[in-house]
Amino acid sequence: MASIFSLPSRLSRRFLPWRPLFQRPASPVRDFSLNYPLIDSTEKLEEETLSWYSPSDFYSVTIGEVFQSRYQVIGKLGYGGYSTVWLGRDLQQHDYVTLKVFERNSAEGRREIETYHHLNSIGMVDHAGAKLIRQALDSFQITSEGGSFGFLVHPTLGMSLYDFRTQLRAKVLPERIVKLTLIHLLLALDYLHTEAGIIHTDIQEKNIMMAIEDTSILADFEDEEKSSPSPRKIIDDRIIYASRNLKKTKQHGRPTLCDFGQARRGSNTYYGDIQPYIYRAPEVVLRMAWNEKVDIWNVGLLTWDLFEQGHLFYGRDSDRGISDAHHIAEMIAIMGPPPKDMVQDSVYANEFFDDEVGNWKGAVEIPPVSLETLEGNLERESRLFFLQFLRKMLEWKPEERLSARELLEDPWLWSQ
């Protein structure tokens, strides 16, 4: 497949896949009510609450606006650390899409667009995991004074795995759903690691979304935006909207891995800080080189979060906040002390371990816990298999963690 993200001059885009010779006329542009509730302009709303928010860095999307003479904005779905997300309507294809609008000159946005460029350049592949990664249908840029805003067009997806889990009364997923979710996730990661050469580095519940089976919730969203417009605040020529949720449904599709703004590709090993703080792998905490096995570590901690009450690691000092010493102490409690050669290879490890034999210096106490004492959902053989599965991912050394493909053969995932 030809490159889909070439970026010439002011606007850049790609052509969508083959279309029939005789195509339906484009849908008419929708009209939206101008009778909407206003929010006090002094109140911080959504992306404004981000500590790094700057009005000039976020594109002022307007509901009803049409981009590329094609994508009309229907309503706001949400926002993230470097983007806002909108439900749109592809007027040419007569279908709903999601528009992701990045911050001005966003490094994460560029990385995500380049990652999708690479994924789409691979073409057709015979790997089940390729279908479990969110697609990019289109991309374009809008250039203004001081920089450009990148846009990605995606198929619409439903709620995140985090929202799915937290709406349950127990706040944890049933064992059967955890297994099905992990099978899908590991298939996606096996494709990324072995076929695409991509490390995601940000595996967490909010970056896994459920496919939509009941598409009526999209039409309902549009009808609600027309009949009951979203609250918004207006400052000069800038509008900031409150997000609107899609309706809840009992029909959920497959888990789909999303958000490639932190992804890496093109090398066997990398350096630098990555991953959500409590999900950082030991080699990242110890400031060592890392590779695709950081994703496997993330899957281990995600598995715990889906199935247990609370996180496995917190990495915090109750008085002073985030703490590498507490994080490493928690790892020691679960996995035992790190291998001596790993300590010797990390200059930063000298802060916490002695030089001679690699013993813990005692900067903080090792918590008196273990996987066995913390796990409380399973019994007998199921519990044994579950903990064995976790330990295949929660290893100090990256090379001792199993690959996604090897984990897919684990007996716990397929046990009844």
Side-chain angles (χ1 to χ4, degrees), residues 91-314:
L91 302 176
Q92 293 182 18
Q93 293 295 309
H94 311 277
D95 201 4
Y96 290 101
V97 293
T98 295
L99 295 167
K100 188 170 187 178
V101 186
F102 297 106
E103 276 185 302
R104 180 168 56 99
N105 300 334
S106 167
E108 291 85 355
R110 286 195 299 273
R111 186 180 289 126
E112 185 156 16
I113 289 173
E114 289 169 359
T115 300
Y116 275 117
H117 176 191
H118 173 67
L119 285 169
N120 283 306
S121 72
I122 295 172
M124 298 296 293
V125 292
D126 184 21
H127 194 298
K131 297 180 177 63
L132 301 173
I133 294 166
R134 190 173 207 175
Q135 295 177 299
L137 301 174
D138 198 357
S139 76
F140 55 93
Q141 288 190 53
I142 293 180
T143 301
S144 65
E145 292 184 15
S148 62
F149 298 89
F151 287 64
L152 272 175
V153 183
H154 294 292
T156 53
L157 292 174
M159 67 171 58
S160 71
L161 193 59
Y162 173 82
D163 292 331
F164 178 71
R165 178 181 64 80
T166 55
Q167 75 174 356
L168 301 176
R169 181 177 299 175
K171 306 302 180 188
V172 293
L173 298 184
E175 182 180 4
R176 181 180 68 87
I177 302 300
V178 172
K179 291 176 180 179
L180 287 172
T181 300
L182 290 173
I183 289 169
H184 285 80
L185 176 58
L186 289 169
L187 281 168
L189 286 179
D190 182 54
Y191 169 67
L192 289 178
H193 293 170
T194 63
E195 302 267 348
I198 290 173
I199 309 173
H200 190 281
T201 84
D202 197 14
I203 307 292
Q204 56 175 308
E205 290 176 279
K206 292 182 179 180
N207 289 341
I208 300 170
M209 301 184 74
M210 318 298 285
I212 293 177
E213 295 289 325
D214 179 9
T215 57
S216 68
I217 64 175
L218 303 174
D220 289 343
F221 183 104
E222 180 177 353
D223 290 341
E224 289 172 0
E225 186 59 47
K226 289 177 178 177
S227 62
S228 179
S230 298
R232 64 205 68 182
K233 56 182 289 187
I234 301 175
I235 303 175
D236 299 325
D237 60 349
R238 173 171 293 273
I239 303 176
I240 299 176
Y241 295 88
S243 299
R244 183 188 297 276
N245 293 326
L246 294 170
K247 279 187 175 179
K248 292 182 179 180
T249 175
K250 294 182 179 180
Q251 300 180 45
H252 296 287
R254 291 181 173 184
T256 303
L257 184 59
C258 307
D259 289 285
F260 288 85
Q262 302 296 335
R264 303 291 194 276
R265 67 179 183 89
S267 178
N268 293 323
T269 57
Y270 300 82
Y271 291 87
D273 196 24
I274 52 164
Q275 302 178 293
Y277 182 78
I278 60 172
Y279 280 7
R280 290 181 304 160
E283 61 270 29
V284 176
V285 177
L286 292 174
R287 305 178 185 180
M288 303 174 71
W290 50 266
N291 59 22
E292 78 282 353
K293 291 298 183 69
V294 295
D295 283 346
I296 301 302
W297 175 270
N298 271 186
V299 174
L301 297 186
L302 173 65
T303 302
W304 185 269
D305 284 0
L306 294 177
F307 197 47
E308 306 289 340
Q309 296 284 355
H311 303 301
L312 189 58
F313 302 126
Y314 290 89

